[in-house]
Amino acid sequence: MRNKERMHKYMMVFIGTVISLLWIYPFYLVLVNSIKTKAGIFESTLSLPSEPTMENYPTAFEELDFTLTFFNSVVITGGSIFLIVVFTSMAAYALSRRPSKTSSLIYFLFAICMLIPFQSIMIPLVSIFGAIDMLNRTGLSIMYLGLGSSLAVFLYVGAMKSIPKALDEAAIIDGCNRFQVYWRIILPMLKSTTVTVIVLNAIWFWNDYLLPSIVINKEGMYTIPLRTFYFFGEYSTQWHLALAALVIAMIPIIALYMFLQKYIIDGISDGAVK
């Protein structure tokens, strides 16, 4: 029996190691080839560079116009996440604290919306926003609010159901109104769920190329993924600069994830299980 358990443990470790290596391998390729010359990449993509160079990074930084594109990405990502956290947490509070057939239907609709692929509504969505002159950063943030609300409401409602309603009643007796109960009592108790919503959406918004490519039409409002496409020309691709740009683009979001990762598992379990 012990031998079977030991073999099972070793097998799980082996499978986990293989899966981890498969996930890490693309990052290895990007990082290694970002310190090669263009000729060095074509000579051997998989091997370590014989003469590594860091010149790709300052060149890519300049070509990206990184200060401006970073600012645009931060404004769009941060603004969208702020709207999602505020509006979905308030909506979830109303749905969880006022149970009825109507609130159950609204919650069901939010859950169903998670199954609708963006590609099926992409053209009508952009057409409507274009007709009312609501594109670029503002329109993109509002679109992200709509697209990211379903999962956020799902997580918040699940987490709020685990908070006793007695806390609401005690706060109301002490003189709080409904908004003060939500803002001062309930929302601070949902730290793990809020961080989970922030991280999941930040990864999505920061790395998204498709939606910004059809919504942003002004040169000075390009995000980092859009500007990175500058290195992929019609007749040639500057792979050495493109890979360096990808590394630069990954650093902020990886840093955010590493800083907040301890809250993510708790937030997902609170929203989906309780």
Side-chain angles (χ1 to χ4, degrees):
M1 191 66 181
R2 290 182 178 178
N3 290 334
K4 288 183 178 180
E5 292 179 354
R6 188 176 301 172
M7 287 298 297
H8 178 74
K9 180 180 179 180
Y10 289 153
M11 183 62 67
M12 294 302 295
V13 170
F14 174 76
I15 294 174
T17 302
V18 171
I19 294 174
S20 299
L21 291 175
L22 290 175
W23 278 99
I24 294 173
Y25 186 64
F27 292 96
Y28 162 80
L29 290 179
V30 171
L31 186 61
V32 166
N33 287 286
S34 69
I35 56 176
K36 295 180 181 178
T37 63
K38 186 176 182 179
I41 293 176
F42 288 101
E43 287 176 2
S44 179
T45 305
L46 303 180
S47 65
L48 293 172
S50 57
E51 297 181 1
T53 176
M54 300 301 293
E55 294 181 1
N56 296 335
Y57 285 93
T59 304
F61 189 94
E62 182 179 352
E63 294 290 341
L64 277 176
D65 194 5
F66 187 77
T67 303
L68 178 60
T69 53
F70 179 80
F71 173 77
N72 291 333
S73 292
V74 169
V75 168
I76 292 171
T77 302
S80 302
I81 291 174
F82 174 79
L83 293 175
I84 287 175
V85 169
V86 171
F87 284 106
T88 60
S89 61
M90 288 194 294
Y93 178 70
L95 292 175
S96 63
R97 289 304 192 257
R98 296 181 181 273
S100 65
K101 291 183 179 180
T102 302
S103 61
S104 298
L105 175 62
I106 294 174
Y107 176 70
F108 176 75
L109 292 175
F110 270 110
I112 287 296
C113 286
M114 289 191 293
L115 305 177
I116 300 176
F118 163 70
Q119 290 78 6
S120 64
I121 62 172
M122 177 175 64
I123 295 177
L125 184 65
V126 175
S127 299
I128 292 172
F129 274 75
I132 60 176
D133 195 23
M134 188 70 75
L135 295 176
N136 296 300
R137 286 196 300 233
T138 303
L140 186 58
S141 296
I142 295 175
M143 290 182 193
Y144 279 145
L145 168 62
L147 295 171
S149 292
S150 299
L151 178 60
V153 168
F154 177 77
L155 293 175
Y156 272 124
V157 169
M160 287 184 187
K161 287 181 177 179
S162 67
I163 300 176
K165 292 183 180 180
L167 290 177
D168 301 42
E169 297 170 356
I172 291 173
I173 292 173
D174 288 339
C176 292
N177 56 39
R178 280 291 178 182
F179 180 78
Q180 290 173 329
V181 172
Y182 150 78
W183 185 255
R184 296 182 178 181
I185 308 298
I186 303 300
L187 190 59
M189 298 181 66
L190 300 173
K191 183 177 181 180
S192 295
T193 303
T194 299
V195 171
T196 301
V197 171
I198 290 173
V199 171
L200 294 179
N201 286 292
I203 294 173
W204 170 20
F205 301 159
W206 186 269
N207 296 313
D208 189 23
Y209 173 82
L210 178 58
L211 187 56
S213 68
I214 59 179
V215 173
I216 295 178
N217 54 25
K218 290 184 179 180
E219 179 71 22
M221 294 190 179
Y222 284 177
T223 60
I224 292 177
L226 285 182
R227 191 66 181 177
T228 303
F229 194 72
Y230 170 84
F231 299 114
F232 297 89
E234 183 177 357
Y235 301 105
S236 64
T237 299
Q238 303 179 70
W239 283 109
H240 57 308
L241 300 181
L243 294 174
L246 290 175
V247 174
I248 294 172
M250 286 190 295
I251 291 174
I253 202 66
I254 290 176
L256 176 67
Y257 179 83
M258 296 298 293
F259 181 70
L260 299 176
Q261 65 173 334
K262 63 180 180 180
Y263 300 102
I264 295 177
I265 301 300
D266 291 338
I268 293 177
S269 60
D270 288 347
V273 178
K274 292 184 180 180

